[in-house]
Amino acid sequence: MEVNKLGFGDPEELGPIEEWPIGRLFAAAARMTGPMMWRLIERHGVSPAGFFVLRMLRSEDGLRAGEVARRLMTSPASVTSVIGTLERNGHVERRRDEADRRAVRLHITETGSRLVAVTVKELGPDIWEFYDVVPPEDEPAVRRFLLALIDKFDDCTDPNGERP
């Protein structure tokens, strides 16, 4: 397949955005999603990284920092910094593992759990507003495209989450 058909050719050759290939449009929208979500989350007094750590601990409390870093696909040093801030703000506690005293586990506090609940509840309408752009008659085609893309990405990921 030609690189230009995917939208990775010379940007000058792509023309107006209305004429860009679907892949390029999707990549542009996906790239803009992160910063939009970060701004929405920051309105609630927590960093996006902190929010994702808290959300993870809310569903699976007691993880080790290294496991959190692996799941967030970031460095242990970055997670340690985020956890330090969350701990200072009373959202997370570090506790020694009862079975392995060398290990430290992360536990979400009641305050951290409430912060996640409130943030998720208040984010809902904002997120819906951003994604409520597909007319009902176009939903089947958009759904087929996204499901096919997810399947293709899934096929390219090994069980450890590594790219080939």
Side-chain angles (χ1 to χ4, degrees):
M1 178 169 280
E2 274 185 52
V3 172
N4 282 343
K5 285 186 179 178
L6 296 174
F8 294 112
D10 182 351
E12 303 260 331
E13 294 176 10
L14 291 176
I17 192 169
E18 296 81 10
E19 296 174 11
W20 287 6
I22 295 292
R24 181 66 178 247
L25 288 170
F26 179 78
R31 191 174 50 251
M32 295 170 80
T33 300
M36 256 346 279
M37 286 296 297
W38 298 334
R39 279 187 239 144
L40 292 174
I41 291 167
E42 286 172 341
R43 288 184 194 169
H44 298 278
V46 65
S47 72
F51 174 75
F52 292 122
V53 168
L54 289 173
R55 197 173 74 169
M56 185 182 302
L57 291 174
R58 190 166 184 231
S59 65
E60 192 174 348
D61 199 34
L63 295 172
R64 293 168 84 164
E67 177 61 16
V68 171
R70 188 185 70 73
R71 291 183 187 187
L72 292 177
M73 294 185 264
T74 191
S75 71
S78 293
V79 167
T80 299
S81 174
V82 170
I83 291 166
T85 301
L86 291 171
E87 188 175 38
R88 280 190 301 281
N89 292 332
H91 302 309
V92 167
E93 294 176 348
R94 298 178 211 224
R95 295 187 218 141
R96 291 261 171 229
D97 186 318
E98 295 297 322
D100 179 359
R101 300 295 296 165
R102 296 169 297 173
V104 175
R105 302 246 175 221
L106 305 172
H107 297 275
I108 191 167
T109 63
E110 184 58 38
T111 305
S113 191
R114 273 196 312 272
L115 176 65
V116 171
V118 167
T119 302
V120 166
K121 182 179 179 186
E122 292 178 4
L123 281 176
D126 291 334
I127 292 170
W128 180 250
E129 182 181 330
F130 284 116
Y131 288 101
D132 188 26
V133 295
V134 179
E137 64 273 13
D138 293 342
E139 281 186 24
V142 173
R143 184 175 305 282
R144 282 191 309 275
F145 165 73
L146 292 172
L147 289 171
L149 190 60
I150 289 167
D151 282 346
K152 186 158 290 244
F153 287 160
D154 196 41
D155 289 346
C156 293
T157 304
D158 77 15
N160 296 322
E162 301 289 325
R163 292 186 316 182

